[in-house]
Amino acid sequence: MNKIEHIGIAVKDLDASNMVFEKLLGVPNYKIEEVLTEGVKTSFFKSGPNKIELLQGTNEDSPISKFLKKKGEGVHHIAFAVDDIVAEIARLKSEGFLILNETPKKGADNKLVAFIHPRSANGVLVELCQEIRD
Ligand code: ZN
């Protein structure tokens, strides 16, 4: 795994939270993107070399809506950049980690993504992401 690619934060109201994070970080978001297949709307901020992703559920069945109902707003996942997501999934699987989607799927921000169940990572939902190169 390479560096932390971004930190994902679950929010109830993306517009309101965009204003909070714009004030907090001193920069406006640079992108809003909806991932229809996941039922989420995302907003990205850059703070120096770091990225923050705000996520709001767009329907009741969205993993974000379920998370908010269970735990409330807050840090939702930590994403790590990887060079080869397929190889990294295989490595983590062989180490005993529970992979939520063994086939990488298309996430926000031009990335292929896969998630590691928090149960196998001390309560932290870990996202692997690989830039889509074409
Ligand atoms: Zn993410």
Side-chain angles (χ1 to χ4, degrees), residues 6 53 77 127:
H6 63 269
E53 173 186 35
H77 63 271
E127 176 183 356

mmCIF file of all heavy atoms in Angstrom, residues 6 53 77 127, ligand 1:
data_model
loop_
_atom_site.group_PDB
_atom_site.id
_atom_site.type_symbol
_atom_site.label_atom_id
_atom_site.label_comp_id
_atom_site.label_asym_id
_atom_site.label_seq_id
_atom_site.Cartn_x
_atom_site.Cartn_y
_atom_site.Cartn_z
ATOM 1 N N HIS A 6 -7.249 9.279 0.840
ATOM 2 C CA HIS A 6 -8.185 10.253 1.428
ATOM 3 C C HIS A 6 -8.819 9.668 2.678
ATOM 4 O O HIS A 6 -8.693 8.478 2.955
ATOM 5 C CB HIS A 6 -9.263 10.670 0.424
ATOM 6 C CG HIS A 6 -10.156 9.552 -0.033
ATOM 7 N ND1 HIS A 6 -9.886 8.780 -1.140
ATOM 8 C CD2 HIS A 6 -11.309 9.060 0.482
ATOM 9 C CE1 HIS A 6 -10.842 7.876 -1.298
ATOM 10 N NE2 HIS A 6 -11.723 8.014 -0.323
ATOM 11 N N GLU A 53 -12.956 13.353 1.723
ATOM 12 C CA GLU A 53 -14.156 13.050 0.958
ATOM 13 C C GLU A 53 -15.348 13.086 1.902
ATOM 14 O O GLU A 53 -15.379 12.353 2.882
ATOM 15 C CB GLU A 53 -14.023 11.631 0.346
ATOM 16 C CG GLU A 53 -15.269 11.113 -0.334
ATOM 17 C CD GLU A 53 -15.137 9.641 -0.785
ATOM 18 O OE1 GLU A 53 -14.479 8.841 -0.087
ATOM 19 O OE2 GLU A 53 -15.694 9.321 -1.846
ATOM 20 N N HIS A 77 -14.372 6.050 6.599
ATOM 21 C CA HIS A 77 -13.348 5.120 6.119
ATOM 22 C C HIS A 77 -12.019 5.834 5.887
ATOM 23 O O HIS A 77 -11.962 7.059 5.786
ATOM 24 C CB HIS A 77 -13.786 4.406 4.835
ATOM 25 C CG HIS A 77 -14.008 5.307 3.648
ATOM 26 N ND1 HIS A 77 -15.213 5.894 3.368
ATOM 27 C CD2 HIS A 77 -13.171 5.719 2.670
ATOM 28 C CE1 HIS A 77 -15.106 6.623 2.257
ATOM 29 N NE2 HIS A 77 -13.874 6.541 1.819
ATOM 30 N N GLU A 127 -10.556 1.391 2.605
ATOM 31 C CA GLU A 127 -10.801 1.400 1.167
ATOM 32 C C GLU A 127 -9.461 1.323 0.451
ATOM 33 O O GLU A 127 -8.516 2.011 0.826
ATOM 34 C CB GLU A 127 -11.533 2.712 0.782
ATOM 35 C CG GLU A 127 -11.764 2.867 -0.714
ATOM 36 C CD GLU A 127 -12.416 4.210 -1.083
ATOM 37 O OE1 GLU A 127 -12.754 4.997 -0.185
ATOM 38 O OE2 GLU A 127 -12.579 4.456 -2.287
HETATM 39 ZN ZN ZN B 1 -13.480 6.974 -0.206
#
